Amino acid sequence: MMSGLWLAARRARQAGLHPDTIFNLATWLIVAGVIGARGFYVVEYWREFVRPDPMQTLQAVLAVAGGGIVLY
């Protein structure tokens, strides 16, 4: 990830963009990637998260400390 970010900043500089734009964008993309990985894990293993009460189901989905993200 770091080498890709470095390469993107270098290419942005060559294209006349400020490299800080790439670093700011990368922050948001990393956060979105982690949220998406968790979301896909929840969809893939939905039966492990279903509880009798919808609020308990939501708490189980949001309990990231228990583990579970998909990483390919």
Side-chain angles (χ1 to χ4, degrees):
M1 190 169 20
M2 295 302 291
S3 63
L5 185 56
W6 173 79
L7 182 62
R10 185 173 170 217
R11 292 188 68 182
R13 189 176 299 121
Q14 290 172 350
L17 297 172
H18 200 280
D20 283 344
T21 304
I22 300 299
F23 294 121
N24 291 336
L25 179 63
T27 302
W28 290 106
L29 291 176
I30 291 169
V31 169
V34 170
I35 291 171
R38 176 62 178 184
F40 188 73
Y41 182 85
V42 169
V43 168
E44 191 71 22
Y45 299 101
W46 178 248
R47 293 176 195 253
E48 296 179 16
F49 294 98
V50 175
R51 306 286 191 272
D53 181 35
M55 197 60 171
Q56 291 175 343
T57 301
L58 180 63
Q59 288 174 344
V61 168
L62 296 177
V64 180
I69 63 170
V70 175
L71 187 64
Y72 291 112

